[in-house]
Amino acid sequence: MASNTNLFDGIVIFTQVVNCRGFSAAAEKTGHSSSYISKEVNKLEARLGVRLLNRTTRSISLTSEGEVYYQQCQQMVNDAEQALGELDQSQETIKGVLKISCPVSFGLNYLQPVLSKFLQHYPLMSLDIDFNDRQVDVVLDGFDLVIRATQQLEESSLICRKIFQSKGVTVASAEYLKKYGRPTNPSQLSEHNCLCYSNLRLPHKWVYRTLNDKMIVVDVKSKLLCNSAQLELKMALDGHGIVRLPEFALEDTLKNNQLEVLFSDYQEPAIDVFVVYPSRKYLSPKIRCFIDFIVNELPNESL
């Protein structure tokens, strides 16, 4: 059976006419002309095949059929208004579950305190967090949003917003440098043991730029190839090789002088952190609220 797509046409106008006790008053309340109101009621009656209103030059009254129909229509209008009110309330009340994926190092060093403060501000919210360095699919893996750290975000139909900026730093332990020597030029990395990040498209090609913007591309040998920045860091601390990592993954080790920075006379590449989500259209209040919250809470000077 085909659905009647005109089923609700004219119902709101009809109930307004009855409630306002006239076409002119209904026109004034709805912002339409009296002729428009009259035509809508006429079309409704024609579609139903019954007269709903008795009209005189000075008043209107419901027919017996109109009385029955009005009671049903008024209930439908009330139900629709109640549903809209509940929707408006849900737009104001931030509640529900957010499923989020985030790189481990950024999550532990920067996002965790923001998550804690977010839950304090919004006690009706719950978080389903995946701290993982793997490249997830926002839609297929069922995430509300993901956080990605990269030098260049890949083209896609997803929406992204930059929330943080860090720098890429090349480091090694004093033990490694004492044993294998300190490279003074990135091109010398081809002679060293390097710890490479497998989630990159070209993990064995390390790109550097001189201060006068000359690009140097080095093919490095991986002593370790893995998808975990934390593992790379631990292996570098144990003296197994040279590693390139975002500064946000190195803060404590650099403060404590556990690793030495190489090539400080070269440009440090920017590593941007983005929040990525499927669509701007009909973005739920909880997602919009969370994005605004982390933008406000993360250090502004880093953007």
Side-chain angles (χ1 to χ4, degrees), residues 6 14 63 94 98 100 171 182 193 209 269 276 281 284 291:
N6 300 322
F14 167 62
T63 65
I94 306 302
L98 268 181
I100 302 167
V171 293
R182 174 187 291 270
N193 297 328
R209 287 187 180 277
V276 182
K281 190 176 183 181
S284 72
I291 294 172

Side-chain angles (χ1 to χ4, degrees), residues 43-284:
K43 286 193 290 185
L44 178 61
E45 290 177 325
R47 192 173 78 248
L48 297 173
V50 297
R51 178 174 288 277
L52 300 173
L53 297 171
N54 292 315
R55 304 162 175 83
T56 69
T57 55
R58 310 184 94 179
S59 66
I60 62 163
S61 62
L62 286 164
T63 65
S64 57
E65 293 89 349
E67 180 67 41
V68 174
Y69 191 66
Y70 167 76
Q71 296 298 332
Q72 297 296 322
C73 288
Q74 188 60 57
Q75 185 61 54
M76 286 190 289
V77 171
N78 290 341
D79 290 344
E81 289 175 345
Q82 181 179 350
L84 184 59
E86 292 174 353
L87 179 62
D88 287 341
Q89 183 178 5
S90 72
Q91 299 284 325
E92 297 171 3
T93 304
I94 306 302
K95 58 184 178 181
V97 179
L98 268 181
K99 187 176 181 182
I100 302 167
S101 177
C102 179
V104 178
S105 296
F106 185 80
L108 294 176
N109 294 334
Y110 281 90
L111 193 62
Q112 183 276 322
V114 177
L115 297 177
S116 181
K117 189 176 289 189
F118 180 78
L119 289 179
Q120 291 171 354
H121 276 73
Y122 301 101
L124 298 180
M125 284 297 303
S126 299
L127 300 174
D128 181 353
I129 305 295
D130 175 39
F131 276 0
N132 200 310
D133 288 343
R134 69 187 177 94
Q135 187 88 348
V136 302
D137 187 299
V138 185
V139 177
L140 292 180
D141 292 331
F143 288 100
D144 292 302
L145 55 90
V146 302
I147 293 171
R148 289 179 179 163
T150 180
Q151 286 183 255
Q152 185 173 2
L153 199 64
E154 293 182 5
E155 290 289 329
S156 76
S157 60
L158 300 173
I159 310 301
C160 65
R161 180 175 177 182
K162 188 163 76 169
I163 60 173
F164 191 81
Q165 188 174 72
S166 187
K167 297 177 292 186
V169 185
T170 305
V171 293
S173 69
E175 177 189 355
Y176 176 87
L177 297 176
K178 182 178 180 180
K179 185 175 182 179
Y180 294 98
R182 174 187 291 270
T184 57
N185 186 295
S187 60
Q188 296 171 345
L189 286 173
S190 59
E191 303 166 5
H192 281 266
N193 297 328
C194 293
L195 312 176
C196 300
Y197 188 56
S198 61
N199 282 340
L200 296 176
R201 191 166 59 89
L202 298 171
H204 296 99
K205 286 190 181 296
W206 291 11
V207 179
Y208 292 85
R209 287 187 180 277
T210 64
L211 295 179
N212 60 6
D213 215 30
K214 179 183 177 183
M215 187 169 69
I216 300 173
V217 181
V218 187
D219 290 312
V220 301
K221 298 178 296 185
S222 60
K223 186 71 171 180
L224 172 76
L225 178 66
C226 72
N227 64 351
S228 168
Q230 283 192 311
L231 178 59
E232 286 184 281
L233 176 57
K234 288 184 180 297
M235 296 296 278
L237 287 168
D238 286 343
H240 292 290
I242 297 172
V243 67
R244 295 187 82 186
L245 287 171
E247 195 173 42
F248 62 70
L250 294 166
E251 283 198 348
D252 289 340
T253 55
L254 294 179
K255 286 177 184 176
N256 298 329
N257 297 316
Q258 293 174 280
L259 293 172
E260 298 185 23
V261 176
L262 305 177
F263 314 130
S264 55
D265 53 343
Y266 284 76
Q267 293 185 44
E268 295 175 318
I271 296 180
D272 296 323
V273 180
F274 297 91
V275 58
V276 182
Y277 50 99
S279 174
R280 232 184 237 112
K281 190 176 183 181
Y282 306 130
L283 189 63
S284 72

